[in-house]
Every structure is written in structure tokens, then in C-alpha cells.
Amino acid sequence: MSGDIAADPLEATVRSIFNAHADRLQKGLGGRPGIEGYADGFEYLQSLLKPFPLDNRPPIVTNWNSELQPYFKSIFSNRLIAPLYEWYLQEVRAHQWMIGDEILASMNEYEGTGDLDIVNKMLWRVGEWWDAWGTYVSLFNPYLEGSAGYRRTCSIHLNQTLPSSFSRAFRELILSTLPSYDPDAPLPDPDRSQVIFANLANLGLLSDHEHLMGMTLKEFTTGYVKETCAKVWDRQVWNETREWFTRTIQPWVEMAYTRTWMKTDAADSRAVVETVSVRYLWQMCEALAQLRISEIFDIIVDYPDSTPALNDLKECMFQTGTRRYLVDTLRALTKKRLLHPGADTKDILTQYVSTIRCLRVLDPMGSLLFSVADPIRQDRPDTIRTIVQHLIEPKSELIGEDNEEIKPLQDTSVLTDDYGDFTWMPEPADADAAFRSTRQTDIISTLVSIYDSKDIFVKELQILLGKRLLEIKDQNYDAEIRNLEILKLRFGDVALQGCDVMMKDITDSRRSDTQIHNLRLSQGGLAFQNSLPMHTTIISRLFWPPVQRSSLVMPGQFKKMQEDYAKSFSVTKPDRKIRFMSNVGSISLDLELSDRTVSLTDVTPLQAAIIELFSTKDIWPADDLAKELGGVDASSVDKALEYWMDHGVVKSVGPKQYELLEVAEEQKPGGSRPIRKAVEESPGRTAEAEDQEAEQMRVYWQFIQGMLTNFGTLPTDRIHNMLKFSQTYNKTREQLAAFLDALKREGLVDFRDGTWRLVK
């Protein structure tokens, strides 16, 4: 009894709990009908959500949104909405093979035909699959991520299913929506482009392949720059390119990228489109800058006709920051195409002057020029000499170039700030550490400014000016006086004081020479004056650059002329004394031989002295000639004798024996005069050493012959520079010149107008 009484409260408790759960499960229906109705609803939703073949699609429930909402609410209230959604996604994953089979079949067909319409149709078909399987997925949205999770699942499986060839198909689809480079070509069909972007955006492929789309557009726009702007230097093309971008590419960007972020609001979409457009326009600007930089060497050659291209480069370089790339490229091109042993320094300087003018357009501050000039300054030690040669040339193009105002050179070693210069600009951030900005604008000032000091120019200027003054024979120094006055405006009077003394010596020398000849005319008449057919240039030893001296003593009538001239000079200048440098100057001769008269000009004093000795006796040993002339270097005597042998005045009659030809010898057909291999030697060289070095030089004949065959004519300097390519070549320019002279005497080469050529 007590056990039954004790069981009644427990049974009542269990029953109440069971009834409460059953009532909650059955929603107040009570008994089996509620449970069975819930089970039937769950199975009904599963049948609607289960994926199916697209060609066997079940009918859509009428008014499905309102009809199915109670079922989803019931399932949600019993906490089974998440298992149902997970079951649904699992079914979608399990049936992706249906979509995958169609994708692979379509891509295989595309790979065989290349027809983009197949790909476009495939994308539309995949979109239909997704829409069909996701008809009712939005009913999950109030409770879970619903549609977003479904499309993410589909997108993951789509990207896993697409073959590698889809990247090429995607790129071709994007390109098919872009206009042609040809302005006369028809534009792409806008309706077709809209369909392509709609299909890609619907499947999320625009977002997934955004980088590929960006790379495709970049290749297209940079390709347009290369196609339409390459070698076009006669007009500015950047404004045209920018207008083309605004007219054709920007609408395309709006169409493509608005769909990429189609879930954002209108203001955000416009901001995105504007950002993307600016980025692609910058890439086109960078492409044009890189194109012009790759053409910079030819642009410099074509200057000033290429000025519009330089203006384009200036604007694009400012926007894209490609200054360093310009410096590196121009330095590399300069070394490759200009600074090689075969290039003449004068040609290098001409190109460099054009480089100065072009870089002044790009960078008036001069930092680019400073960086580019460094290889020329280091690789060509004779650049300074060549610049100075241009400075002292008559009618030099470098002096007063472009009618620019001639300004004094700025001393870069002393930095001063002009606080009154309202055009002052700071030095560029990428300028070389050693760079100091200048305000030089003319070519000469810019050339000089790349070196640390102008003193090296002044020194070289004095040397070359002195050499040129001594080479002038007609005593016309007007061009040198004019150039010197212009150079004094640049370098200053103090720096060129030595040059002033040199010019004064020339003027005084001309006056003294006239006084001496007038004195002889007054002393002995015209015949006495004509007995001294000699004109001298008298220089001040302390103010002229060192002149190479020689022990040469002029013999015979030449010695008498010097003595007579010195006596007349002592009369006009009692307090001064002159000393002749017999090795400097030139002589015009008329040699009266038995059967002919040989007239020659520009004969060296040594050559004239030797032929004068032959007037005393017909046969001379070479060693005796050297002793008679004051101990002149034996090799110099040999070269002078070879000069007279070339003119048929002297012949060799034995080892170191030479005879005067009073009667010209008949030249045998096919014969040639014996040639002595003359190589410039230092005193004291043995005959064996001379022969050995001449034979060493002869191994380079094949190289020289090949050069002259390919180039036609070449100066000595260029042949010398090209031979330096050979690691075994260690000869001097003088040795090469002597060897070329020997080849000329053998009849292998000829020398005309300063260049060598093969004898045909």
C-alpha cells in the first residue's frame, strides 16, 4: 500500500513533464496527429530543397513564399533550422557534378574551337543552375545567412571545377569587350558586353578574377601606348592618350567595376570607379614614360625635332617618378652605343651636347645631367681636351650656341644662396650626393660644370691655344682673338691672363718680324731683304706651355738665316735675345735637281736639315747625319729619310747608307722601293729590338685590314681604339701610326683627308 502511494506522485511528475514536451512538439494538437504533421512538413521541405537535373525541374510551388513560411517557422521553433540548412548545403555539394559535367564539356569545346560564345553560354547556364537550386533558399535568410552561404558554396565548387584554360577564356572575354586600337574599327556590341559582365558578376567571377581583369586591362592600355606612340616624336601624344582613355576606357571601367561591387550604394560605386580609373590612367602614363625612356638615345639624336616627345616624357616622369629609371637607362645606353673603344671622342662630345640640351628640357636643375655625365667623365680622359678644341676652333658651334647670353662660370666649390632669386627650387630628392645645383644655361657652362674645377679647362686651353697659335702660317689671328675674348667672359680675365700674354706675344712677334724685314730693306734694298725668307714667332718662355725641345742644329743656309735674323732682332730689340727652337715650324722648299725641280710645303725642320746636308755630298750614313745635326734621335732621322725616299729624292744604297737621286730612277712595273720598318723608338734601341717590335705590330694587320674593309675609311685614333679590344694589344698611338706609315710605303694602305683606306 505504501509502495503504491509512493508511486503516484512520481508517475504524476513524469507524466506532466512528458505532456509538456509533447504539447510543445505538437503545438497543442495533442497525440499522434501533431507529431506526424511535423514529420510530414520536414520531409516536404527536403523534397523542395533537394537539387535536381536542370532539364527535369519540378514545378515551383505557387505563392511559395507565403505557403512555406509556416513550415520554416515551425522548424525554427524546434531548433532544427540549422540541421535542415546544413543538409541542404551538403546536398548542393553532393550534386555539383551535374554542373561540373556541363562546364568541362563546354570548356573542351571552347579549347577546340576558340569560340567565346560557348564560354558565355556556359556562364549563363551555370547561373540558371544556381538560380534553380536556390529557388527557396531565401526562406532561410531570417534565421541564417541563407542565400550568401549558398552562393559561397556554389562559388567555391565552381572555382574548383573550372579548368586552367578558363583564365585564358576570361581574358579573351574581357578583351572582346574592349575597343580596337584602330579608331576606324567598329566598337564592340554594348548589349553583348552587358551580357558578358552580367554573367560574370552573377557567378562572382568578376570579384574572384579581379586581379586578372586588372592585368588584362593594364596590358591592353599599355599595348595601346606602344602601338600608337612608339617613334612618334613630332607631336605630343600624352594629351591624345588621355582623351582616348576618357572616351573609351572610362565608360568600360564603369560598366565592369560597378558590377564587381554591385552590392554597394551608388556613391561608393562612383568612388570605386573613380579610384580604378585614376589607377589605370597612371599606368598608361607610366607606360608612356617607360616607352620614351627606352627611346631616349634616339630622341637625343633626333633633337630638336623630338622636342614634343621630351615634353611628354617630362610630364609623365613627374607624375610617375621614373627619374632613376631614366638615369640608369641612359647611362646603360650611353655605355653600350657611345662609350666603346671604336667611337671617336668628337662624336661622343657631339652626342653629349645633344644630351645636355635634352636633359635641360627634362630637368633644368641639372641633377639628371650630373648623373649621366659621370661615365663620360670617367671613361674618356681626353674629353676635356676635345671640349677645349671646340672652344678654340674658328666659328665653333659651341661658342654662343643658340644666341644664348654668355655668362661667367659658376664656381661649384663655393656654395652661395641667392635670396633674391624667386625662381629658386630645392635640389631633387634623388640627386647625387655630390651634385650642386647651378643656374648655368648655355652649353659651354654646362659642359664645364660637370667637372669639379674650371682650372683643368684653363690649363688645357692654354696648351691647345699655344699649339694652334704656333701652327698658324698666314699670321691671321682674328678668330683666336675673338674666341679668347668670349672665353674671358666665361672664365674671367685673371684665369686667362696667361692666354693674354700669349696673344700679346703673337701681336708683338708679328710687329717685330715686320720691323726686321723693313730694317733689312732699308739696309740693303729688296735683294737684301729677300735673302732672309724667314718669318718667326717670338714667344715668352715663362708664359707659354712647355714646347718640346730638340738638340737639332740647322746646317748650311738654314743656320745662316737664323744667325742673320738674330742679328737683325738685336738691332730692333737691343735688350733682348732670342733662342731658336729648330724643331718647331714648317718650311717650303724648291729642290733643284739635275733633271727636275721638286716643290714641297710643310716640310719639317729635320727633314729640311737632312736634305740640306745632301747638298754637300751625295751619300750619307744615317749615323753621320744624326751626329751632324747635333745628336738627333736615330729613329727620327730614319723617319725623315723615309719621307725623302717616298718622294723619290733619296734612296737606300746599303745598311744605314743613303744617296741623293740627282736623276730620278725609273720605277719598275710591279716593283716598289725598299721599305724600312720604322717604329717610334727611344734612343739606344738595338736593330734586333726594332725588328722584333715591327714584327709584333704586323700581327695586327689582319685586324686593320678587316676594319678598313668594313668601314671604308678610318682615322688613326679610331683604329687605335678598336685594336684595344684585343687583350694582347699594348702599343701606343705613335707606334701604330708608324706601322701604318710602313704599310702605306708597302702600297697596302693610303692616307687621305686624315683617314686611312685600303689600296684597291
Side-chain angles (χ1 to χ4, degrees):
M1 189 68 161
S2 60
D4 295 336
I5 295 174
D8 290 338
L10 178 60
E11 180 180 355
T13 301
V14 173
R15 185 178 297 277
S16 64
I17 294 174
F18 175 80
N19 289 335
H21 283 283
D23 182 65
R24 186 173 60 188
L25 179 64
Q26 300 173 29
K27 292 299 181 183
L29 295 178
R32 290 186 59 84
I35 298 175
E36 292 176 353
Y38 168 76
D40 292 341
F42 196 91
E43 292 177 358
Y44 176 57
L45 290 180
Q46 284 182 321
S47 66
L48 294 178
L49 294 172
K50 188 176 181 65
F52 48 83
L54 192 59
D55 297 334
N56 190 20
R57 179 174 183 173
I60 300 176
V61 177
T62 305
N63 298 324
W64 58 268
N65 191 26
S66 58
E67 289 291 332
L68 299 180
Q69 279 290 353
Y71 291 94
F72 277 87
K73 290 180 180 180
S74 174
I75 293 174
F76 174 74
S77 64
N78 288 282
R79 300 179 182 179
L80 293 174
I81 192 71
L84 178 62
Y85 184 66
E86 183 58 36
W87 171 86
Y88 167 64
L89 294 182
Q90 186 62 36
E91 287 295 312
V92 170
R93 296 187 190 100
H95 290 79
Q96 283 291 330
W97 62 269
M98 299 182 185
I99 303 176
D101 288 347
E102 283 199 14
I103 291 175
L104 295 178
S106 298
M107 291 304 299
N108 288 333
E109 185 179 358
Y110 161 73
E111 292 173 8
T113 62
D115 187 0
L116 290 175
D117 289 336
I118 296 174
V119 181
N120 196 25
K121 183 179 179 180
M122 177 202 72
L123 297 175
W124 173 80
R125 180 76 172 174
V126 173
E128 279 198 324
W129 279 96
W130 287 16
D131 293 341
W133 288 2
T135 302
Y136 309 112
V137 72
S138 61
L139 293 171
F140 287 102
N141 290 346
Y143 316 106
L144 299 168
E145 57 181 352
S147 300
Y150 164 72
R151 298 193 71 85
R152 183 168 60 252
T153 300
C154 292
S155 179
I156 291 173
H157 283 273
L158 174 62
N159 288 323
Q160 292 175 348
T161 305
L162 288 172
S164 58
S165 59
F166 180 75
S167 296
R168 179 170 63 89
F170 180 88
R171 182 177 181 276
E172 294 297 328
L173 277 174
I174 297 299
L175 289 175
S176 68
T177 64
L178 290 165
S180 172
Y181 294 159
D182 186 1
D184 298 329
L187 295 175
D189 184 4
D191 295 334
R192 178 179 177 277
S193 300
Q194 290 284 358
V195 170
I196 291 175
F197 283 113
N199 291 334
L200 292 172
N202 183 43
L203 302 180
L205 293 175
L206 285 181
S207 299
D208 294 339
H209 293 75
E210 180 189 354
H211 178 71
L212 179 57
M213 183 170 67
M215 291 298 298
T216 301
L217 183 57
K218 179 181 179 180
E219 292 176 6
F220 177 80
T221 52
T222 54
Y224 173 83
V225 171
K226 296 176 182 178
E227 181 74 18
T228 60
C229 302
K231 302 294 183 180
V232 180
W233 305 332
D234 57 346
R235 70 178 191 278
Q236 289 188 249
V237 297
W238 172 236
N239 290 334
E240 299 176 8
T241 304
R242 189 162 44 193
E243 292 173 0
W244 174 84
F245 180 89
T246 303
R247 185 177 63 255
T248 60
I249 301 302
Q250 193 159 350
W252 183 94
V253 171
E254 293 176 359
M255 176 176 59
Y257 281 85
T258 301
R259 293 183 177 276
T260 305
W261 289 278
M262 58 193 312
K263 292 184 179 181
T264 60
D265 57 31
D268 290 341
S269 296
R270 285 194 300 271
V272 168
V273 169
E274 183 177 352
T275 301
V276 172
S277 298
V278 170
R279 184 180 69 193
Y280 286 120
L281 185 61
W282 183 90
Q283 289 175 351
M284 289 190 70
C285 185
E286 183 184 40
L288 182 57
Q290 292 177 349
L291 175 65
R292 289 293 180 256
I293 290 174
S294 67
E295 301 170 338
I296 187 63
F297 194 89
D298 296 318
I299 289 175
I300 291 173
V301 173
D302 203 43
Y303 182 86
D305 294 337
S306 59
T307 302
L310 291 172
N311 292 328
D312 276 338
L313 176 57
K314 181 179 180 180
E315 182 175 355
C316 295
M317 188 171 63
F318 175 77
Q319 295 184 26
T320 58
T322 50
R323 289 169 57 94
R324 187 72 255 172
Y325 178 60
L326 171 64
V327 170
D328 295 341
T329 301
L330 187 52
R331 284 169 66 102
L333 289 173
T334 300
K335 287 185 177 180
K336 179 180 179 181
R337 301 180 58 179
L338 192 63
L339 298 180
H340 54 80
D344 185 72
T345 303
K346 185 176 181 181
D347 296 335
I348 294 176
L349 183 61
T350 301
Q351 175 71 5
Y352 183 58
V353 168
S354 298
T355 303
I356 291 175
R357 296 170 182 161
C358 292
L359 294 185
R360 283 195 313 188
V361 175
L362 299 176
D363 175 36
M365 294 290 293
S367 64
L368 292 178
L369 176 63
F370 183 86
S371 300
V372 173
D374 189 58
I376 299 177
R377 180 173 53 190
Q378 294 181 358
D379 295 350
R380 287 282 170 164
D382 59 340
T383 303
I384 296 177
R385 184 180 302 110
T386 308
I387 294 173
V388 174
Q389 286 175 346
H390 277 277
L391 294 180
I392 64 175
E393 281 182 355
K395 300 179 181 179
S396 173
E397 296 180 356
L398 297 181
I399 296 182
E401 179 66 21
D402 298 329
N403 297 322
E404 294 173 336
E405 180 183 358
I406 301 175
K407 300 179 181 179
L409 295 176
Q410 176 182 346
D411 188 358
T412 57
S413 63
V414 180
L415 300 179
T416 58
D417 292 326
D418 184 4
Y419 296 101
D421 184 9
F422 295 100
T423 63
W424 177 88
M425 292 290 290
E427 296 175 3
D430 59 350
D432 191 275
F435 168 72
R436 293 294 181 268
S437 61
T438 63
R439 290 180 292 276
Q440 307 297 344
T441 57
D442 61 323
I443 298 298
I444 298 300
S445 298
T446 308
L447 282 171
V448 176
S449 67
I450 67 175
Y451 293 90
D452 297 332
S453 174
K454 65 181 180 181
D455 295 340
I456 52 178
F457 281 89
V458 173
K459 182 178 179 181
E460 192 68 33
L461 179 63
Q462 291 177 341
I463 295 174
L464 292 181
L465 180 62
K467 180 180 178 181
R468 178 165 181 80
L469 291 175
L470 294 178
E471 289 175 350
I472 294 177
K473 301 179 180 62
D474 58 0
Q475 296 187 344
N476 183 5
Y477 305 99
D478 294 340
E480 280 65 32
I481 294 174
R482 171 185 173 274
N483 286 348
L484 181 60
E485 292 301 321
I486 293 176
L487 292 172
K488 286 165 65 175
L489 296 177
R490 302 182 187 276
F491 294 93
D493 293 342
V494 177
L496 297 181
Q497 185 177 7
C499 294
D500 281 336
V501 174
M502 294 163 62
M503 292 303 303
K504 185 177 183 300
D505 283 348
I506 292 297
T507 304
D508 293 344
S509 176
R510 183 168 49 182
R511 186 183 303 112
S512 298
D513 186 74
T514 302
Q515 291 176 354
I516 289 173
H517 284 276
N518 290 337
L519 175 64
R520 293 183 65 83
L521 178 64
S522 63
Q523 289 177 344
L526 184 61
F528 187 64
Q529 181 192 24
N530 292 338
S531 65
L532 186 62
M534 178 179 179
H535 298 278
T536 63
T537 299
I538 304 171
I539 63 176
S540 302
R541 178 176 58 86
L542 297 178
F543 292 92
W544 280 68
V547 179
Q548 183 180 2
R549 297 184 180 275
S550 172
S551 60
L552 173 63
V553 176
M554 299 299 290
Q557 57 180 320
F558 297 113
K559 182 177 182 180
K560 186 176 184 307
M561 290 180 191
Q562 290 179 342
E563 293 173 349
D564 292 345
Y565 197 95
K567 291 178 182 178
S568 299
F569 179 80
S570 63
V571 174
T572 58
K573 304 284 185 180
D575 57 339
R576 299 177 66 181
K577 182 180 179 180
I578 62 173
R579 183 173 62 182
F580 289 96
M581 292 183 291
S582 300
N583 60 310
V584 180
S586 63
I587 301 173
S588 298
L589 293 178
D590 289 329
L591 301 180
E592 296 181 356
L593 302 172
S594 298
D595 62 339
R596 66 198 185 282
T597 299
V598 180
S599 298
L600 299 170
T601 59
D602 292 333
V603 178
T604 67
L606 178 58
Q607 294 167 351
I610 287 176
I611 203 64
E612 172 68 15
L613 290 178
F614 275 98
S615 66
T616 59
K617 64 178 182 177
D618 292 342
I619 299 177
W620 279 88
D623 294 339
D624 291 351
L625 288 173
K627 292 178 182 178
E628 191 71 20
L629 296 176
V632 178
D633 182 76
S635 61
S636 300
V637 173
D638 290 342
K639 293 176 66 175
L641 287 168
E642 289 166 0
Y643 172 82
W644 292 116
M645 287 192 293
D646 289 341
H647 288 83
V649 177
V650 173
K651 71 174 182 178
S652 176
V653 293
K656 298 286 187 176
Q657 296 285 328
Y658 298 89
E659 180 182 2
L660 178 68
L661 294 176
E662 284 286 352
V663 178
E665 291 183 337
E666 293 185 2
Q667 185 70 26
K668 297 180 180 180
S672 61
R673 299 188 183 95
I675 301 299
R676 291 167 51 91
K677 299 179 179 64
V679 181
E680 182 120 359
E681 303 287 355
S682 59
R685 296 293 297 270
T686 63
E688 291 79 2
E690 292 179 1
D691 294 338
Q692 181 180 1
E693 186 162 271
E695 195 62 28
Q696 291 176 353
M697 286 293 296
R698 191 163 293 277
V699 302
Y700 299 106
W701 163 238
Q702 296 296 332
F703 295 98
I704 297 173
Q705 187 179 30
M707 295 177 199
L708 298 179
T709 301
N710 293 330
F711 294 96
T713 60
L714 288 174
T716 305
D717 286 335
R718 189 164 183 186
I719 296 175
H720 181 61
N721 289 333
M722 295 177 72
L723 283 174
K724 288 181 180 179
F725 279 116
S726 173
Q727 296 181 354
T728 61
Y729 182 77
N730 56 1
K731 307 302 179 183
T732 65
R733 182 192 178 282
E734 290 73 22
Q735 290 172 324
L736 174 63
F739 179 61
L740 290 172
D741 288 334
L743 295 176
K744 177 185 175 183
R745 291 189 296 272
E746 294 178 9
L748 298 175
V749 297
D750 188 20
F751 185 76
R752 280 183 289 172
D753 300 327
T755 59
W756 296 93
R757 68 197 68 202
L758 291 174
V759 175
K760 298 181 180 179

